[in-house]
Amino acid sequence: MNDKILLQINNIGVVYSDVIQVLKGVSLSVPENRIISLLGSNGAGKSTTLKAISGLLKPENGKVTEGSILYDGTEIHNLPPETITRQGIIQVLEGRQPFKYLTIEENLRVGTATRFGKPYKEDLDLVYAYFPVLVKRRKTLAGYCSGGELQMLVIGRALMAHPKLLLLDEPSLGLAPMVVQEIFRIIRRINEEQETTIVLVEQNANMALQIAHYGYVMENGKIVMEGDAAELRENPDVKEFYLGMGATGIAKSYQDVKAYKRRKRWL
Amino acid sequence: MDFFIQLLVNGISIGFLYGLSAMGFVMIYKASSVLNFAHGELLAIGAFLFLALVTWAELPVAAAFILTLAGTFVFGFIVERLFLRPLIGEPLIEIIMLTVGLAAMFKGALLLIWGGNLYTYPDLLPEFLAWNWGVVQVPPVYVSAIFMGIVFLLLFGLFFKYSSQGIYMRSVADNQPAALSLGVHVRRVFALSWAIAALVAGISGIILGLINGINVHELSSIGLKVFPVVILGGLDSISGAIIGGIIIGLLETMTGGYLSPSLRDVIPYIALVAILLVRPYGLFGLVEIERV
Ligand SMILES: Nc1ncnc2c1ncn2[C@@H]1O[C@H](COP(=O)(O)OP(=O)(O)O)[C@@H](O)[C@H]1O
Ligand SMILES: [Mg+2]
């Protein structure tokens, strides 16, 4: 595997509505063909980081005010999403966001927007090969499908765009553990077989670190920790807060209660 | 009985025109949540453009018709570019007020050129278009209204169901952030919805002009009937708009035929109020899918 950096985020600050500072100096780099995981609790700024990359801050009145984002060596921060998606960066939004009144297949066809006019039949076949459950739901309105089917749908929809860099925002959210495992296996396969570079945002650190190569931990709009996935899995802080295992086993007064509460949020 | 059938046919043909024009209104609403108060003026613009092409330019009917379609389509596109686009992201009420302003401006421009007089198209439609079923006679205009209605509804139905561009348009109406995330050109979809709205309004304008004559005030007030139609059909439902159009068309002709011609133009609004009291979301509004 080469170590070419596909995406480089340098010290960015992000502000919503001109006053709400959410990211404060976030830096991270994403090597080509790898899976990078971005972990952290609710409100840490994970989704904001992804939106800064994909250009989706703009419709929410957010802006990168400091630093830079380099994709393949060129600056892309604050470009409109129509431009960024056409360079091969596709974000799969948190909470699945299907087109409820479109059928599964029509949903997939929206994924061809960046390649309008090109044939897409083979891409449909590819998506159905990764997610066979979608085949028999082809003509069903997405609004009537289950959470697991929808998560597969939105990942498949993104694949229709031939992404070079895929940004996944909490694909495990609200899904049964069996379904999560299946989806994560497929994410790994997509990374290997399609050579798609992936940034995987998760609160489920346990699952994410099983398929990621490298991980970052975010808190309050800052990166507080980073390392190889295997290293992070063994890190005592990560174990305690993110993987739900007490490192020492000794009760530590109120701090421990706090940790317990946090742990409950994680898993 | 013959009288009834006659009214039925007239009502349905007018209803198709209302439905067709309401479809354009609903498209703008679905894509961008904007209520277009200039819709009636779009009808009038189509009718007058066609008038200019057949009388001043003396073009053959078919050529004038196709040019009018192209012209109204481009006009809708330009209106979106010039007036609506700069306001994207501003509060919706400002955009809706802008369409009220556009209505006044378009009407003023038409009045400036043609004044408030009533014009008629020269005899355009060949007699063979007339239908004769014994005592029931359907004049060529009504036949062409039904024909145009069906043809364009089918065309747009196919466009939205099967073409990629149509599916992108529906995706924006359905979930705009998701559409943006996949690179759908949302602004282009807005522009396209205005272009198509101006086009279908223009077609309805031409045929209504054939039926009633062409007058700025008359046509723009017919355009306002889009409100009872879409409220009946559900603001967000394209097929509802067509059914709503046919119902309003029938209601009008039946009232005009059996009760009193002066009640004719009021009845859609009476229906509007009645429906709002009973079904505030319209008869055919989208059923919200809860399970997501
Ligand atoms: N559109 C917005 N306007 C203002 N504040 C926002 C907006 N979106 C997110 N935030 C704030 O930014 C912080 C980080 O949010 P987010 O990036 O969604 O976190 P995460 O994805 O890690 O849960 C939160 O405090 C949230 O309230
Ligand atoms: Mg989030």
Side-chain angles (χ1 to χ4, degrees), chain A residues 28-63:
Chain A
L28 54 88
S29 48
V30 183
E32 201 162 38
N33 295 347
R34 301 293 172 89
I35 300 180
I36 298 302
S37 185
L38 187 55
L39 307 169
S41 55
N42 248 333
K46 307 181 297 297
S47 298
T48 301
T49 308
L50 291 192
K51 287 176 187 163
I53 303 168
S54 62
L56 293 175
L57 281 179
K58 210 171 220 175
E60 294 193 28
N61 207 4
K63 218 179 152 201

Side-chain angles (χ1 to χ4, degrees), chain A residues 105-175:
Chain A
E105 186 145 316
E106 288 168 347
N107 264 270
L108 293 176
R109 284 185 60 186
V110 181
T112 63
T114 54
R115 306 186 302 113
F116 173 60
K118 307 232 171 71
Y120 56 83
K121 179 80 186 50
E122 281 179 18
D123 303 307
L124 279 178
D125 293 341
L126 182 80
V127 171
Y128 288 137
Y130 277 116
F131 303 106
V133 288
L134 297 181
V135 177
K136 58 177 187 297
R137 303 292 253 157
R138 274 174 53 200
K139 301 232 153 70
T140 311
L141 291 189
Y144 295 115
C145 292
S146 73
E149 288 166 339
L150 290 180
Q151 191 59 56
M152 298 182 187
L153 168 69
V154 294
I155 296 175
R157 199 169 66 178
L159 276 187
M160 296 292 291
H162 294 187
K164 287 211 245 349
L165 176 62
L166 189 58
L167 312 171
L168 301 176
D169 200 346
E170 304 208 26
S172 76
L173 198 72
L175 299 180

